[in-house]
Amino acid sequence: MPTEVALLESRALRVEQMGRVDVLDKVKCLVMLPDGIHVRTEDVARYFEVSTEVVKKVTLRHRSELEENGLRTLRGSDLEAFHRDMVSLWAGEGAGSYPQAATQLRLYTRRAVLNVAMLLRDSDVARCVRTYLLDAEQDLRAGYASLEHRVTRVESHLAGVGTALQELGPVLSRMSHRLDSLDRRLEATHQVVGAMSVRLGGVSADVVRLDDRMDVLARNLKELNRRNKR
């Protein structure tokens, strides 16, 4: 597990934590500009309870890293356009309450503020943010360990299932052979029954013909009896 010192010294470790901007609000409320995206150097200093000079020094030492996480410096026409946008959004206290920089304005996104929290050494607020990050990392690693343990248990159970299936294979093969034999016997029985049905059909026809002959014989006997009586 990374330590606070490692987080302060390693840019790679800081990059891994850049998605955890939610910890900022868990420690303290970060008041954004009207656009809801940026804060100024003064706002960053107020959040970490340090002077603006401290924030400026950290920003100058790690400018490229912070710029990768949203740090911007506005001048000239870009600054004027940004001020116009902010004044149009500043509805609560009136346009006159929005502080406008004269020559340049350095803006930080929430990711950049989190980046500063992982660079400021002498700020209790920054330490608290780092503690939240490290605790979250520990919880995540514990979750991974628990998940790995559960996967290992599933794998062990599956190994037992594989052995059982191997033992069951010959039994299933024998059952399949017996079912095939039964199918053949049933087919032979169907053939015998079919032949018997054909033969019974012929016997039925013979019986009908025999009945007809018996009827003829009965009529002849009756006729013979009448003649004898005469």
Side-chain angles (χ1 to χ4, degrees):
M1 173 182 171
T3 63
E4 183 178 358
V5 174
L7 198 61
L8 287 165
E9 299 296 336
S10 173
R11 182 170 178 174
L13 289 178
R14 292 195 292 272
V15 170
E16 292 179 2
Q17 302 296 331
M18 277 304 152
R20 298 301 313 278
V21 294
D22 56 296
V23 301
L24 295 172
D25 293 323
K26 292 181 179 179
V27 175
K28 187 178 177 182
C29 178
L30 178 62
V31 180
M32 312 297 292
L33 288 175
D35 64 353
I37 299 174
H38 300 97
V39 292
R40 303 163 302 155
T41 303
E42 295 84 349
D43 303 317
V44 177
R46 189 177 302 111
Y47 178 83
F48 290 112
E49 299 176 3
V50 296
S51 67
T52 56
E53 291 303 318
V54 171
V55 176
K56 289 177 181 178
K57 288 179 181 179
V58 170
T59 300
L60 290 175
R61 284 199 300 268
H62 304 276
R63 183 168 181 172
S64 63
E65 180 179 345
L66 290 168
E67 286 178 344
E68 290 181 2
N69 291 296
L71 177 69
R72 299 169 59 197
T73 302
L74 302 182
R75 299 180 181 86
S77 59
D78 291 335
L79 179 59
E80 293 176 2
F82 183 81
H83 281 325
R84 286 196 299 271
D85 292 339
M86 291 304 100
V87 169
S88 65
L89 293 171
W90 199 271
E93 302 176 39
S97 62
Y98 170 70
Q100 299 188 29
T103 57
Q104 71 174 25
L105 178 62
R106 187 165 287 155
L107 298 173
Y108 300 75
T109 61
R110 294 174 68 85
R111 286 174 63 92
V113 175
L114 180 62
N115 202 162
V116 172
M118 290 185 280
L119 294 168
L120 270 178
R121 296 178 180 271
D122 299 324
S123 167
D124 291 336
V125 176
R127 291 193 192 96
C128 192
V129 172
R130 292 193 291 272
T131 299
Y132 266 99
L133 289 173
L134 295 173
D135 288 345
E137 179 74 14
Q138 183 177 9
D139 292 342
L140 184 61
R141 290 178 182 271
Y144 284 149
S146 176
L147 179 60
E148 184 177 3
H149 177 66
R150 292 169 63 185
V151 170
T152 301
R153 290 180 58 189
V154 171
E155 288 176 344
S156 64
H157 291 318
L158 287 177
V161 171
T163 302
L165 289 176
Q166 289 177 353
E167 295 175 353
L168 188 60
V171 176
L172 293 175
S173 179
R174 290 194 297 270
M175 290 179 63
S176 176
H177 178 72
R178 293 178 65 182
L179 288 173
D180 289 340
S181 177
L182 182 60
D183 284 340
R184 290 193 294 270
R185 292 173 64 183
L186 286 174
E187 180 63 26
T189 301
H190 286 319
Q191 292 177 358
V192 172
V193 170
M196 290 178 64
S197 177
V198 172
R199 294 182 64 183
L200 286 173
V203 170
S204 177
D206 292 340
V207 169
V208 170
R209 288 195 296 272
L210 182 60
D211 285 343
D212 292 341
R213 295 179 64 183
M214 291 295 291
D215 290 340
V216 172
L217 180 59
R219 287 195 298 271
N220 290 336
L221 288 174
K222 286 181 181 180
E223 182 65 25
L224 183 60
N225 287 331
R226 285 197 299 271
R227 289 177 182 178
N228 290 332
K229 287 180 181 180
R230 292 175 184 174

